[in-house]
Amino acid sequence: MTGPEPTTQGQSQARRPITRSRDGCLTCRKRKIKCDLGKPECERCIKYSVKCIYFKKPATSSKRALRPAPASSSRRTPNERSVEANEDRSSSESPSSFPLMPAPVPDIQQSTSVMSSTTTSAPHNPPKFVGWQTALEALGPVDRLLAVCRNTRMASFFLQPSTPPSFLQAFFPSFEDLQCFHHCVTYSFSIIVVTEDHNPWVERVAPLFMTSGQDDGRSSGAALKMSMLYMGAVHLSYLQGRDGNSTASMNTRTLALGYRKDCLRLLRLLSGKQPPTCDAAFLSACALTLTADLLGANPRWRELMRIVKGAIEGNGGMDMIICFSAYVDPAIKCAVESLVNLSMLATFSAGIDNCILSSGLKDEIGRPIWWTMLVEAETIQSGLTRFEELCGISRSLVSLYATLSSFLITIEDSSQIDPTRADQIESDWNLWLITEGAVEMDERVKAGSMAFWQAGKISILRKIRKASRSDDSVQTAAMAILEICASVGDKVEYMNWPMIIACSTFTDPISRDTARAQLKLFVSQCCYEIEVIQMVCEEMWSRMDEGEDEQACGWVEILLESGLPVLLG
């Protein structure tokens, strides 16, 4: 989703204008982005693998703001219902083509058709709907969940807003629970990965709540279920507020905090066992709850990070969890790598070393052996999502950052810097650009890695080499980050913290206005956290103008003094 075009005069000339056309396809118009008017399919629809429909509204109709999925199709306009019904007729396969016997993983094309046919009913064509419903019911509950929820694309959500399928009511008898869960798996999961194809949160993690002892209400599966409810509620409340429904937003936000409370109660119980529970559902619940804390700007994330680290240590460390098995569980890999990314963001946000990459046995060049094992597993085991596809950053650069951040924290309160160690860290950082920086072929991963690398370069220059904000190298790196962030389009996941580091160097009005304009573009693609980030940047600039010292102008102190010590990312 791309937000409205900022009108700030200092906006970078390189950024393409965000405008809309009356002749654009329905998907682009619903997402409020410019359509290239390509026929028969525009580039956006090709990118997100959705049906491209061109529909010309009457001249008197007005543009309608994006909003979350309505409770029923009756809330949509007659034109929208007509277009969606046409899409349903044109894209669905015949009922006989859907497998009537359970399959381990439903085919993606079949799954897409099932979602469009079973969750957006067409009143004028009930026989087809009944046929699809019958075919869906023939599957087991896990396969049905996958069939309905695999189409988790932002564009698809706005093209075909849907109501939850009836079979999920057996797991979520409460309407509020059902709504939040359905929102999580059909939309929220798409905004926490940079590559939405074969999303591991949907394909590998979501079904675990039905297969990890959920019935007793005290299992890791139950905790995972509550974490998904929490994430769905946080995201839905933000969209409701952005749509102007403040009452619904407040009610859903309250519901989200209730889910979080229940989830933490279970996670404390499970982590207190001897040994602590540390299966795929538990680790996934921790990762999703921390992610929801980030999206919801919840300052009470530190206990959960301690629970994660305690459970890992209580099971002998990540070496025991990852290394001593011939098979890497895809769900565990997804959860662990997300926790690595989140722990890195926790280190950045709090100025305290939280990164779980700092633990475990190391290889000859200082990398955790279990981290290297995950790389090797990607090459020999099918069905594993690459770390880069999950987080949009090169795995090798993350390892370097763990070393860099640990060193920066060590020297924070010290007047002495080990010059040999400092030289080695800077050399390794610069060498990465030469040996690894040009290898990645995926453009989004390359962009995320380069923004990450430039942010690290600024940290080295400012904190190790003591360069001023106005230093040419610092300013060049900061402006490079702005240009990269302007190039990534809809997938801005985890790009906020390079933006903060870049903003921490800007002293002139033009650069600040350019940064403000870029953050405005992030608003419609993020959640509550973007409001905190905007506040932090404005406060940094205000303190810099007042002449306050480096620590006072830093985001860690600003968050603490503002009473919002949240996760940034």
Side-chain angles (χ1 to χ4, degrees):
M1 296 175 292
T2 305
E5 180 183 8
T7 58
T8 309
Q9 293 179 353
Q11 183 178 355
S12 171
Q13 296 297 319
R15 185 182 299 109
R16 63 179 183 273
I18 307 301
T19 58
R20 289 174 287 163
S21 168
R22 288 181 180 274
D23 299 321
C25 74
L26 183 62
T27 301
C28 290
R29 293 173 69 179
K30 277 179 173 287
R31 299 181 66 206
K32 293 188 175 182
I33 57 179
K34 183 177 181 180
C35 181
D36 62 18
L37 305 180
K39 300 293 178 63
E41 295 179 297
C42 72
E43 290 185 3
R44 291 276 182 174
C45 289
I46 293 173
K47 175 180 177 181
Y48 287 104
S49 302
V50 297
K51 193 74 173 179
C52 188
I53 301 175
Y54 284 91
F55 175 73
K56 188 174 181 60
K57 290 186 178 181
T60 57
S61 65
S62 60
K63 294 181 177 69
R64 191 171 65 88
L66 298 180
R67 64 183 179 186
S72 68
S73 61
S74 63
R75 289 177 57 187
R76 298 173 221 151
T77 65
N79 286 336
E80 287 175 300
R81 289 197 296 271
S82 174
V83 171
E84 289 172 12
N86 290 336
E87 158 67 6
D88 201 23
R89 285 195 299 271
S90 64
S91 65
S92 298
E93 303 168 356
S94 65
S96 61
S97 66
F98 191 82
L100 296 180
M101 296 298 290
V105 180
D107 181 75
I108 184 65
Q109 297 299 327
Q110 294 167 334
S111 302
T112 301
S113 298
V114 169
M115 181 176 178
S116 62
S117 301
T118 61
T119 63
T120 54
S121 61
H124 58 281
N125 193 14
K128 186 188 74 170
F129 176 80
V130 172
W132 278 111
Q133 189 74 13
T134 301
L136 186 64
E137 292 297 333
L139 297 175
V142 174
D143 293 324
R144 276 183 279 158
L145 179 68
L146 287 173
V148 172
C149 299
R150 285 185 72 177
N151 194 19
T152 56
R153 295 175 180 273
M154 291 187 293
S156 299
F157 180 85
F158 286 104
L159 180 64
Q160 294 182 313
S162 61
T163 53
S166 58
F167 77 87
L168 283 178
Q169 294 177 4
F171 299 97
F172 303 96
S174 163
F175 171 76
E176 290 81 7
D177 291 359
L178 181 61
Q179 182 186 37
C180 292
F181 177 83
H182 188 249
H183 184 84
C184 177
V185 294
T186 59
Y187 189 10
S188 303
F189 276 161
S190 71
I191 69 168
I192 63 172
V193 295
V194 298
T195 301
E196 297 179 34
D197 292 321
H198 302 292
N199 188 334
W201 291 111
V202 176
E203 297 183 8
R204 303 298 185 178
V205 174
L208 293 178
F209 87 92
M210 293 186 289
T211 59
S212 298
Q214 186 264 345
D215 289 341
D216 64 12
R218 296 164 62 87
S219 65
S220 57
L224 176 60
K225 173 182 174 181
M226 299 310 300
S227 70
M228 288 190 283
L229 290 172
Y230 174 41
M231 173 174 283
V234 166
H235 188 211
L236 181 58
S237 70
Y238 178 73
L239 295 180
Q240 290 169 333
R242 200 178 69 191
D243 197 36
N245 195 341
S246 57
T247 299
S249 176
M250 185 177 299
N251 290 340
T252 309
R253 178 82 167 176
T254 301
L255 195 64
L257 294 176
Y259 292 140
R260 186 186 191 277
K261 181 178 180 180
D262 292 341
C263 183
L264 262 292
R265 185 182 297 116
L266 285 170
L267 293 176
R268 292 187 196 105
L269 177 67
L270 295 167
S271 64
K273 293 182 177 181
Q274 294 299 328
T277 300
C278 205
D279 59 11
F282 174 87
L283 292 171
S284 299
C286 291
L288 289 178
T289 304
L290 278 168
T291 301
D293 281 347
L294 187 156
L295 296 175
N298 191 315
R300 300 178 64 178
W301 55 270
R302 286 167 175 76
E303 181 197 8
L304 184 51
M305 188 61 71
R306 291 192 294 270
I307 287 175
V308 170
K309 298 179 76 171
I312 293 172
E313 293 171 1
N315 281 272
M318 200 65 77
D319 299 296
M320 295 296 296
I321 297 172
I322 299 295
C323 293
F324 298 99
S325 173
Y327 171 80
V328 174
D329 185 333
I332 286 183
K333 181 176 184 292
C334 174
V336 166
E337 292 181 340
S338 294
L339 287 170
V340 167
N341 193 45
L342 289 162
S343 67
M344 183 178 65
L345 295 176
T347 297
F348 165 77
S349 303
I352 301 172
D353 193 353
N354 286 293
C355 190
I356 61 178
L357 274 179
S358 59
S359 63
L361 299 174
K362 304 294 193 300
D363 61 17
E364 65 278 1
I365 60 175
R367 296 174 304 184
I369 293 176
W370 60 268
W371 186 244
T372 305
M373 291 287 291
L374 292 179
V375 183
E376 296 174 357
E378 291 175 356
T379 63
I380 62 176
Q381 184 177 322
S382 62
L384 295 180
T385 301
R386 296 169 60 226
F387 174 83
E388 289 81 358
E389 295 170 338
L390 193 68
C391 301
I393 306 169
S394 168
R395 180 193 294 274
S396 59
L397 196 56
V398 171
S399 301
L400 286 179
Y401 181 78
T403 301
L404 172 61
S405 61
S406 178
F407 183 70
L408 294 178
I409 291 170
T410 301
I411 66 174
E412 188 70 29
D413 299 320
S414 173
S415 59
Q416 299 295 324
I417 297 178
D418 181 349
T420 302
R421 182 62 172 152
D423 289 345
Q424 184 63 55
I425 288 175
E426 184 174 22
S427 175
D428 290 344
W429 195 262
N430 292 333
L431 183 63
W432 179 89
L433 187 65
I434 301 172
T435 59
E436 302 285 344
V439 174
E440 180 59 52
M441 299 301 294
D442 182 89
E443 290 300 320
R444 173 57 183 84
V445 176
K446 185 179 294 185
S449 299
M450 290 308 301
F452 193 100
W453 185 86
Q454 296 286 5
K457 181 179 179 180
I458 292 174
S459 298
I460 291 171
L461 291 171
R462 297 274 290 124
K463 296 187 177 183
I464 297 178
R465 300 309 179 192
K466 305 300 181 183
S468 67
R469 295 187 182 94
S470 59
D471 180 88
D472 288 344
S473 296
V474 171
Q475 289 299 308
T476 299
M479 293 308 298
I481 290 173
L482 288 188
E483 292 176 3
I484 293 168
C485 289
S487 73
V488 296
D490 298 328
K491 303 307 293 180
V492 304
E493 288 80 2
Y494 312 113
M495 298 294 282
N496 284 322
W497 80 262
M499 276 292 296
I500 294 174
I501 291 181
C503 288
S504 71
T505 72
F506 293 141
T507 57
D508 64 288
I510 294 178
S511 296
R512 291 177 179 179
D513 283 345
T514 304
R516 287 188 183 101
Q518 185 58 53
L519 288 173
K520 285 181 181 178
L521 291 178
F522 279 15
V523 167
S524 62
Q525 304 164 45
C526 298
C527 205
Y528 292 103
E529 83 278 17
I530 192 65
E531 300 171 3
V532 178
I533 289 163
Q534 289 173 313
M535 178 277 292
V536 167
C537 291
E538 294 293 342
E539 185 63 21
M540 283 194 299
W541 295 331
S542 175
R543 295 187 181 199
M544 287 157 55
D545 292 345
E546 289 292 327
E548 298 190 34
D549 64 23
E550 289 290 337
Q551 187 171 346
C553 294
W555 54 85
V556 174
E557 188 142 329
I558 289 173
L559 290 175
L560 290 174
E561 293 179 355
S562 302
L564 287 170
V566 301
L567 271 174
L568 297 173

